[in-house]
Amino acid sequence: MVVKETWLYLLIGQDISSKDLKLKSIKKSLLGQALENFNLDTLYAKGLALAELQEKLLCLPVRIKKRILVIKDAQALKEPLRDFLLEYSKKPPAHLVLILDLEHYDLRDDFILSMSRRGQVYRFKETLAVNTFSLTRQIESKRPDY
């Protein structure tokens, strides 16, 4: 049986430390320590231009087989970028691993649903919004650990 390598990872949740640990394990399995700076790019969805994304997707790996592109806050990607990534994911290149870092998972979001079918999804703990009301509810329910 042939195991197909995953080229797309979705890290969903607000537990930053757990997501960072998973990201480090993916990096360690694909990249060497010395070549990490050459084969890893991190982009932030807010303010990301289509030309910049295309440029990073075209970069080739240096002295190894794979390179990693991480897009932080991917739920904030604009519509042209989402459409481009959906088309791009139909025929992914062998040299690229794309990691989409999302804070939340919206079942009504077609982009996230489509991408989750094409890659591997890791869900992490959701944290509560810290405000007076949520803190009061947690205290009343005798859950001070929140």
Side-chain angles (χ1 to χ4, degrees):
M1 182 176 163
V2 176
V3 177
K4 186 177 179 184
E5 288 185 359
T6 301
W7 77 277
L8 174 66
Y9 294 92
L10 278 80
L11 307 179
I12 302 172
Q14 297 172 341
D15 188 0
I16 296 170
S17 60
S18 295
K19 286 184 355 183
D20 284 344
L21 285 174
K22 186 62 185 174
L23 184 60
K24 281 182 184 180
S25 72
I26 294 170
K27 288 191 298 191
K28 186 177 180 182
S29 68
L30 296 173
L31 306 176
Q33 290 287 339
L35 298 173
E36 182 178 317
N37 293 334
F38 297 106
N39 295 308
L40 174 68
D41 284 312
T42 302
L43 301 174
Y44 292 88
K46 188 175 182 180
L48 181 61
L50 182 58
E52 183 181 1
L53 176 63
Q54 291 171 335
E55 177 187 337
K56 295 299 182 182
L57 290 172
L58 289 174
C59 291
L60 296 173
V62 176
R63 294 180 38 196
I64 57 175
K65 293 182 180 182
K66 300 275 186 186
R67 77 177 267 102
I68 297 176
L69 176 62
V70 180
I71 301 177
K72 299 274 189 175
D73 298 327
Q75 74 277 353
L77 284 170
K78 294 178 184 165
E79 201 63 35
L81 295 169
R82 288 173 174 237
D83 294 339
F84 177 78
L85 284 175
L86 284 173
E87 282 299 314
Y88 188 81
S89 67
K90 290 179 182 175
K91 197 168 185 184
H95 71 274
L96 181 72
V97 173
L98 180 64
I99 300 174
L100 300 177
D101 185 352
L102 304 132
E103 281 190 15
H104 52 82
Y105 183 82
D106 187 4
L107 294 173
R108 296 168 294 188
D109 191 342
D110 293 333
F111 171 72
I112 296 173
L113 286 174
S114 297
M115 294 304 268
S116 64
R117 289 185 199 116
R118 296 177 180 154
Q120 193 159 0
V121 178
Y122 293 98
R123 288 188 176 88
F124 300 94
K125 184 172 73 171
E126 299 282 331
T127 57
L128 293 172
V130 179
N131 59 35
T132 305
F133 302 110
S134 65
L135 289 174
T136 303
R137 279 189 224 110
Q138 296 305 318
I139 291 170
E140 286 175 351
S141 63
K142 296 183 171 77
R143 296 179 75 189
D145 55 329
Y146 281 94

